[in-house]
Amino acid sequence: IVRAMGAENSIQQVHDQLVIHTERSRAVWPLPEPFCTFHYREFCRQAFARTQAAFLQATVLGRVVHSPFTIHHSRYSVVRTSFGDVEGRFLIDATGWRAVLAGGPASCYVNRRWMAFGIETEIEREFEPGLHFYFLPEVRDGYAWAFPCDGGVRFGVLSYLGRSNLRAALAGFLERFGAQIGDIHGGFLASGLRSPVVDGVFVIGDAAGQCLPVTGEGIRTAVLAGFTCGDLIQQVLEGRLSLEEATAGYSRFAVRERRRFRTLLWANLGVMLLTQRLVGHTARLLSRPGSLQFFLRPYLSIFRKPPLTDAVAAC
């Protein structure tokens, strides 16, 4: 997916296994396809370089319908920003959990989703390869992680319940490695699919609750949703689809995954209710090839067209 975004040079380290830790156990999950850690800013810069679009960095304040008439079955709307008004024929809300264009932070659209919260710090040090997840007393309602990234490690903690006062938990987790907190970044993660189209606005990523429960993974699903949404809008611009057909197509794409998201939400509740001993026992059971494939195959196929290259080619 990183290659498909044209951002391969941002990759820092490739990982072929997940490692699940508790106080007394460790389970290794071989991955059927590799994951990677990458440089966030370079990933965005390299991916955006392919678009040939103008870039405006501003705070999005909301939107209004600009014209009562339609042009090719599409209204022109205005996005209110701290920089000024920006007019557009198609609006895509990728503003994260706040979903500013789809409703805003105080709306029912936002408040009825599962909101986790996580923070992360990056420290220079060597670390065992793999993506490491820790279920420890420091975060009883979530997990901690250590993701190596080519000479550095991203240490983080996450609360499934959305607790944001996690600095002490992160400090306690780092003490296990003789390390101290550096610069911190993080925020809310929105899980639980919401309407993918709201009043003509296409909604993508955390804005639509497309962050995956249990793991908190959200970049991959947002990119795959973006591939599909961008392809549909391009077809409208080329006259091959109507806006109504594109809207229906994107809605079908997102809605078909509701069952898998719901299953992951139930699994998330299960992780929260299990003792650490049972979490470790379950992780070891799932590390068996048959069991692991049963879990990872549907997880990795969420939002992905078969095969992935079809979605990339369309993009």
Side-chain angles (χ1 to χ4, degrees):
I1 290 174
V2 176
R3 292 192 185 104
M5 293 288 286
E8 185 174 359
N9 289 337
S10 70
I11 293 175
Q12 294 175 304
Q13 190 167 340
V14 176
H15 303 279
D16 58 8
Q17 65 182 20
L18 303 180
V19 187
I20 315 299
H21 304 259
T22 66
E23 288 271 38
R24 299 181 179 180
S25 69
R26 165 190 166 107
V28 177
W29 293 7
L31 289 167
E33 52 190 76
F35 273 60
C36 67
T37 44
F38 55 85
H39 190 283
Y40 297 140
R41 181 178 294 274
E42 279 301 301
F43 173 82
C44 295
R45 187 187 65 79
Q46 292 173 26
F48 185 78
R50 303 175 65 191
T51 68
Q52 299 180 354
F55 177 75
L56 173 66
Q57 185 170 357
T59 301
V60 179
L61 306 175
R63 66 182 174 91
V64 295
V65 175
H66 183 54
S67 301
F69 58 88
T70 60
I71 300 177
H72 302 299
H73 307 289
S74 176
R75 293 176 301 178
Y76 275 80
S77 298
V78 168
V79 178
R80 302 286 191 193
T81 80
S82 58
F83 184 86
D85 291 348
V86 180
E87 189 179 64
R89 179 179 168 192
F90 304 107
L91 299 185
I92 301 173
D93 190 340
T95 58
W97 69 270
R98 295 177 178 84
V100 178
L101 300 183
S107 69
C108 292
Y109 185 87
V110 170
N111 291 337
R112 291 179 182 174
R113 295 176 303 181
W114 181 302
M115 301 287 284
F117 187 88
I119 58 174
E120 180 180 73
T121 188
E122 186 170 330
I123 297 171
E124 291 186 8
R125 65 180 298 157
E126 295 299 320
F127 206 85
E128 177 189 359
L131 301 176
H132 297 258
F133 292 83
Y134 296 80
F135 294 88
L136 300 169
E138 286 90 331
V139 193
R140 293 188 178 276
D141 60 344
Y143 65 87
W145 69 86
F147 295 165
C149 50
D150 190 28
V153 186
R154 294 185 183 131
F155 292 98
V157 292
L158 176 142
S159 165
Y160 288 134
L161 298 180
R163 290 190 302 110
S164 57
N165 55 335
L166 296 177
R167 187 180 181 91
L170 180 59
F173 177 52
L174 285 168
E175 285 180 4
R176 294 174 176 267
F177 305 94
Q180 295 182 337
I181 295 176
D183 293 335
I184 292 177
H185 59 267
F188 286 101
L189 298 83
S191 299
L193 295 181
R194 304 297 293 166
S195 297
V197 181
V198 178
D199 191 24
V201 176
F202 294 84
V203 195
I204 288 178
D206 278 29
Q210 293 171 352
C211 180
L212 297 176
V214 182
T215 61
E217 184 187 5
I219 295 175
R220 180 170 60 94
T221 51
V223 168
L224 292 173
F227 281 164
T228 297
C229 183
D231 175 43
L232 290 167
I233 290 176
Q234 185 63 40
Q235 291 186 60
V236 176
L237 291 171
E238 294 172 356
R240 293 187 286 136
L241 287 180
S242 68
L243 179 58
E244 291 77 10
E245 289 171 328
T247 298
Y250 182 62
S251 295
R252 286 194 302 270
F253 164 82
V255 169
R256 75 183 185 192
E257 301 294 359
R258 280 184 174 170
R259 179 176 296 179
R260 291 178 182 175
F261 267 80
R262 194 174 294 118
T263 299
L264 286 175
L265 282 171
W266 282 109
N268 208 150
L269 289 171
V271 170
M272 292 175 62
L273 293 173
L274 292 176
T275 64
Q276 287 187 34
R277 181 178 179 182
L278 287 175
V279 168
H281 181 65
T282 302
R284 288 194 300 274
L285 286 176
L286 286 175
S287 66
R288 299 173 181 175
S291 301
L292 187 60
Q293 188 178 43
F294 177 79
F295 173 76
L296 286 180
R297 181 183 294 171
Y299 177 87
L300 292 172
S301 65
I302 290 175
F303 279 177
R304 186 163 67 180
K305 293 181 180 180
L308 172 62
T309 50
D310 289 349
V312 175
C315 179

